[in-house]
Amino acid sequence: MTLTSSLAAMLGLEEMRGATLAEVDGAAALQHRVDRKYLVPLDRARHLISSLAGSHHVLDLGGRRTTSYLSTYFDTPELGAWRAHTQKRRRRWKVRTRLYAEDGLCRVEVKTKDGRGATVKHALRVPASDYGELTKPAAEFVDEVLEGACVPVTAGELSAAAEVRYVRAALADLGHGSRVTFDGVLSCHLGDRGAALDAGHVLIETKGGAQPAPADRLLLGMGVRPVSLSKYIVGQSLLTPGLPDNDVRRLARDHFTTTANPAPLPERIRAA
């Protein structure tokens, strides 16, 4: 059983109504949104999915209900993106290349915060062979977005800083335009070191408007509270020696295990 099919089975996704990528993007693309994140045991995540089955569809990609993600994050030599997040600055930003492994699709993504604290994401499709790099078209795209968001950083100052790998399932309420994602088999990698989320938990993200979505209210009813947790910030906080202690590191210590010998990259399956 593959990692993707294993997570789908553990979450009980087989019986849910499926929706195509076009249907999900048409109803809930959400490039401008409010994100809320939760670290949740698998049994509660499965209960949440069961409770949402009447109103949500699971993203189904030709019978596959999860996707392997690889994300390389870029930062300045001084870790400007990491510091903006841990210091809770209003103008936060992230730059990454993301590979959807089974589909052989790659995008350059830039995420910023607007003046009201909402996440704004911009994306550019690039060849899969460009994963992990900022080529000239990618750099021009990054510069344009960061300048528009008043972030005083250019692509020329950035280099690959860490990689994050995980398997994701996505649910969408097609009528109301909200989404919920479930990330498992999550690990962060930096040089010869790695950190992995314990296998009994998944990271849930709700993506919607300013008002809490049904998933948020259900999680609250289960006694689950949102956490401020960025995958990239976790990776840098746990794996880079000498960084100051912070709330993310203290939270991650309870759920992540570090190792000096990270797992090899999963096979990258190119689209036909």
Side-chain angles (χ1 to χ4, degrees):
M1 182 178 288
T2 65
L3 292 177
T4 54
S5 60
S6 176
L7 182 66
M10 287 189 292
L11 293 175
L13 297 173
E14 296 92 340
E15 304 304 318
M16 283 197 73
R17 297 173 297 169
T20 66
L21 180 61
E23 288 173 323
V24 171
D25 280 348
L30 296 173
Q31 298 301 93
H32 189 287
R33 68 205 188 196
V34 175
D35 297 342
R36 298 175 180 87
K37 302 180 182 182
Y38 307 83
L39 271 177
V40 180
L42 274 170
D43 59 343
R44 293 191 183 185
R46 188 178 179 113
H47 178 70
L48 174 65
I49 288 172
S50 177
S51 299
L52 293 173
S55 57
H56 287 61
H57 292 67
V58 61
L59 174 61
D60 187 298
L61 300 164
R64 192 183 78 243
R65 298 199 159 188
T66 54
T67 297
S68 301
Y69 283 53
L70 291 85
S71 298
T72 293
Y73 288 81
F74 296 82
D75 211 334
T76 66
E78 300 79 20
L79 298 181
W82 181 88
R83 295 182 188 281
H85 185 100
T86 57
Q87 294 170 6
K88 296 181 172 58
R89 297 178 193 167
R90 200 172 78 171
R91 293 292 180 186
R92 304 179 205 172
W93 56 276
K94 292 194 188 83
V95 174
R96 67 190 178 206
T97 56
R98 169 167 285 177
L99 180 68
Y100 302 80
E102 289 86 357
D103 304 302
L105 300 177
C106 188
R107 305 199 312 178
V108 179
E109 298 181 345
V110 183
K111 296 175 71 175
T112 61
K113 292 282 189 181
D114 69 10
R116 296 170 295 176
T119 299
V120 184
K121 184 169 75 173
H122 301 263
L124 173 72
R125 176 104 175 248
V126 297
S129 57
D130 289 352
Y131 172 72
E133 302 178 17
L134 291 180
T135 60
K136 183 178 179 181
E140 292 173 350
F141 169 74
V142 169
D143 285 343
E144 180 181 356
V145 175
L146 291 181
E147 182 180 5
C150 299
V151 175
V153 175
T154 65
E157 301 172 68
L158 305 178
S159 60
E163 184 177 60
V164 175
R165 311 168 194 167
Y166 54 96
V167 177
R168 168 168 286 184
L171 274 58
D173 182 337
L174 302 183
H176 295 89
S178 62
R179 283 198 293 134
V180 189
T181 59
F182 298 77
D183 296 340
V185 202
L186 169 62
S187 60
C188 311
H189 303 264
L190 182 61
D192 62 352
R193 293 176 56 77
L197 177 65
D198 75 74
H201 282 74
V202 293
L203 178 63
I204 297 177
E205 299 184 31
T206 64
K207 307 165 191 293
Q211 297 301 316
D216 296 295
R217 294 192 288 271
L218 287 166
L219 286 165
L220 182 63
M222 287 188 272
V224 180
R225 298 294 185 271
V227 295
S228 177
L229 186 68
S230 157
K231 302 179 188 72
Y232 168 62
I233 303 306
V234 165
Q236 285 289 2
S237 297
L238 292 178
L239 302 176
T240 300
L243 291 179
D245 207 8
N246 57 76
D247 292 342
V248 171
R249 180 185 289 166
R250 287 188 285 272
L251 174 65
R253 282 174 181 154
D254 294 333
H255 299 284
F256 284 77
T257 301
T258 58
T259 174
N261 296 294
L265 282 170
E267 181 181 358
R268 299 179 184 180
I269 305 170
R270 300 300 186 206

